[in-house]
PDB file of all heavy atoms in Angstrom:
ATOM      1  N   GLU B 295     122.914  -5.140   7.996  1.00  0.00           N
ATOM      2  CA  GLU B 295     123.707  -5.818   9.021  1.00  0.00           C
ATOM      3  C   GLU B 295     122.817  -6.959   9.663  1.00  0.00           C
ATOM      4  O   GLU B 295     121.692  -6.630   9.890  1.00  0.00           O
ATOM      5  CB  GLU B 295     124.059  -4.817  10.141  1.00  0.00           C
ATOM      6  CG  GLU B 295     125.109  -3.653   9.741  1.00  0.00           C
ATOM      7  CD  GLU B 295     126.401  -4.171   9.738  1.00  0.00           C
ATOM      8  OE1 GLU B 295     126.769  -5.227  10.254  1.00  0.00           O
ATOM      9  OE2 GLU B 295     127.251  -3.504   9.030  1.00  0.00           O
ATOM     10  N   LYS B 296     123.463  -7.962  10.009  1.00  0.00           N
ATOM     11  CA  LYS B 296     122.731  -9.040  10.669  1.00  0.00           C
ATOM     12  C   LYS B 296     122.454  -8.646  12.030  1.00  0.00           C
ATOM     13  O   LYS B 296     123.217  -7.969  12.728  1.00  0.00           O
ATOM     14  CB  LYS B 296     123.553 -10.299  10.704  1.00  0.00           C
ATOM     15  CG  LYS B 296     123.734 -11.008   9.307  1.00  0.00           C
ATOM     16  CD  LYS B 296     124.603 -12.194   9.415  1.00  0.00           C
ATOM     17  CE  LYS B 296     124.658 -12.894   8.009  1.00  0.00           C
ATOM     18  NZ  LYS B 296     125.638 -14.064   8.051  1.00  0.00           N
ATOM     19  N   GLY B 297     121.211  -9.035  12.451  1.00  0.00           N
ATOM     20  CA  GLY B 297     120.865  -8.919  13.975  1.00  0.00           C
ATOM     21  C   GLY B 297     121.089 -10.107  14.764  1.00  0.00           C
ATOM     22  O   GLY B 297     122.208 -10.800  14.429  1.00  0.00           O
ATOM     23  N   ASP B 298     120.277 -10.422  15.538  1.00  0.00           N
ATOM     24  CA  ASP B 298     120.537 -11.554  16.557  1.00  0.00           C
ATOM     25  C   ASP B 298     120.035 -12.836  15.859  1.00  0.00           C
ATOM     26  O   ASP B 298     120.547 -13.913  16.222  1.00  0.00           O
ATOM     27  CB  ASP B 298     119.827 -11.242  17.798  1.00  0.00           C
ATOM     28  CG  ASP B 298     120.272 -10.032  18.541  1.00  0.00           C
ATOM     29  OD1 ASP B 298     121.555  -9.819  18.510  1.00  0.00           O
ATOM     30  OD2 ASP B 298     119.471  -9.298  19.043  1.00  0.00           O
ATOM     31  N   ILE B 299     119.067 -12.824  15.030  1.00  0.00           N
ATOM     32  CA  ILE B 299     118.355 -14.165  14.427  1.00  0.00           C
ATOM     33  C   ILE B 299     118.334 -14.024  13.018  1.00  0.00           C
ATOM     34  O   ILE B 299     117.290 -14.131  12.462  1.00  0.00           O
ATOM     35  CB  ILE B 299     117.137 -14.531  15.191  1.00  0.00           C
ATOM     36  CG1 ILE B 299     116.203 -13.312  15.166  1.00  0.00           C
ATOM     37  CG2 ILE B 299     117.362 -14.893  16.565  1.00  0.00           C
ATOM     38  CD1 ILE B 299     114.799 -13.673  15.352  1.00  0.00           C
ATOM     39  N   PRO B 300     119.398 -13.878  12.281  1.00  0.00           N
ATOM     40  CA  PRO B 300     119.380 -13.616  10.692  1.00  0.00           C
ATOM     41  C   PRO B 300     119.072 -15.018  10.023  1.00  0.00           C
ATOM     42  O   PRO B 300     118.751 -14.913   8.774  1.00  0.00           O
ATOM     43  CB  PRO B 300     120.659 -13.101  10.382  1.00  0.00           C
ATOM     44  CG  PRO B 300     121.622 -13.693  11.419  1.00  0.00           C
ATOM     45  CD  PRO B 300     120.811 -13.849  12.742  1.00  0.00           C
ATOM     46  N   GLU B 301     119.260 -16.170  10.601  1.00  0.00           N
ATOM     47  CA  GLU B 301     119.310 -17.422   9.903  1.00  0.00           C
ATOM     48  C   GLU B 301     117.863 -17.585   9.281  1.00  0.00           C
ATOM     49  O   GLU B 301     116.900 -17.520   9.994  1.00  0.00           O
ATOM     50  CB  GLU B 301     119.625 -18.589  10.868  1.00  0.00           C
ATOM     51  CG  GLU B 301     120.993 -18.567  11.407  1.00  0.00           C
ATOM     52  CD  GLU B 301     121.170 -17.537  12.525  1.00  0.00           C
ATOM     53  OE1 GLU B 301     120.190 -17.169  13.141  1.00  0.00           O
ATOM     54  OE2 GLU B 301     122.359 -17.086  12.863  1.00  0.00           O
ATOM     55  N   GLY B 302     117.815 -17.880   7.931  1.00  0.00           N
ATOM     56  CA  GLY B 302     116.638 -18.216   7.256  1.00  0.00           C
ATOM     57  C   GLY B 302     115.980 -16.970   6.667  1.00  0.00           C
ATOM     58  O   GLY B 302     114.891 -17.076   6.009  1.00  0.00           O
ATOM     59  N   TYR B 303     116.610 -15.815   6.852  1.00  0.00           N
ATOM     60  CA  TYR B 303     116.225 -14.492   6.361  1.00  0.00           C
ATOM     61  C   TYR B 303     117.110 -13.876   5.576  1.00  0.00           C
ATOM     62  O   TYR B 303     118.441 -13.977   5.800  1.00  0.00           O
ATOM     63  CB  TYR B 303     115.756 -13.680   7.480  1.00  0.00           C
ATOM     64  CG  TYR B 303     114.700 -14.130   8.599  1.00  0.00           C
ATOM     65  CD1 TYR B 303     115.150 -14.775   9.737  1.00  0.00           C
ATOM     66  CD2 TYR B 303     113.396 -14.025   8.349  1.00  0.00           C
ATOM     67  CE1 TYR B 303     114.248 -15.440  10.578  1.00  0.00           C
ATOM     68  CE2 TYR B 303     112.480 -14.489   9.218  1.00  0.00           C
ATOM     69  CZ  TYR B 303     112.875 -15.225  10.328  1.00  0.00           C
ATOM     70  OH  TYR B 303     111.991 -15.747  11.219  1.00  0.00           O
ATOM     71  N   SER B 304     116.729 -12.988   4.645  1.00  0.00           N
ATOM     72  CA  SER B 304     117.576 -11.943   4.045  1.00  0.00           C
ATOM     73  C   SER B 304     116.795 -10.664   3.933  1.00  0.00           C
ATOM     74  O   SER B 304     115.620 -10.723   4.052  1.00  0.00           O
ATOM     75  CB  SER B 304     118.100 -12.495   2.644  1.00  0.00           C
ATOM     76  OG  SER B 304     116.868 -12.699   1.835  1.00  0.00           O
ATOM     77  N   VAL B 305     117.439  -9.631   3.489  1.00  0.00           N
ATOM     78  CA  VAL B 305     116.828  -8.340   3.313  1.00  0.00           C
ATOM     79  C   VAL B 305     117.324  -7.619   2.058  1.00  0.00           C
ATOM     80  O   VAL B 305     118.376  -8.009   1.562  1.00  0.00           O
ATOM     81  CB  VAL B 305     117.089  -7.432   4.536  1.00  0.00           C
ATOM     82  CG1 VAL B 305     116.315  -8.004   5.802  1.00  0.00           C
ATOM     83  CG2 VAL B 305     118.530  -7.280   4.778  1.00  0.00           C
ATOM     84  N   SER B 306     116.558  -6.537   1.780  1.00  0.00           N
ATOM     85  CA  SER B 306     116.919  -5.770   0.511  1.00  0.00           C
ATOM     86  C   SER B 306     116.480  -4.428   0.860  1.00  0.00           C
ATOM     87  O   SER B 306     115.415  -4.049   1.391  1.00  0.00           O
ATOM     88  CB  SER B 306     116.255  -6.362  -0.699  1.00  0.00           C
ATOM     89  OG  SER B 306     116.433  -5.444  -1.650  1.00  0.00           O
ATOM     90  N   ARG B 307     117.542  -3.415   0.595  1.00  0.00           N
ATOM     91  CA  ARG B 307     117.193  -2.028   0.709  1.00  0.00           C
ATOM     92  C   ARG B 307     117.796  -1.247  -0.451  1.00  0.00           C
ATOM     93  O   ARG B 307     118.898  -0.860  -0.558  1.00  0.00           O
ATOM     94  CB  ARG B 307     117.785  -1.384   2.019  1.00  0.00           C
ATOM     95  CG  ARG B 307     117.256   0.025   2.264  1.00  0.00           C
ATOM     96  CD  ARG B 307     117.265   0.301   3.747  1.00  0.00           C
ATOM     97  NE  ARG B 307     116.747   1.688   3.918  1.00  0.00           N
ATOM     98  CZ  ARG B 307     117.134   2.529   4.865  1.00  0.00           C
ATOM     99  NH1 ARG B 307     118.088   2.069   5.647  1.00  0.00           N
ATOM    100  NH2 ARG B 307     116.515   3.581   5.001  1.00  0.00           N
TER     101      ARG B 307
END
Side-chain angles (χ1 to χ4, degrees):
Chain B
E295 293 283 342
K296 291 181 180 179
D298 300 317
I299 51 165
E301 296 78 21
Y303 304 95
S304 62
V305 290
S306 173
R307 192 159 181 209

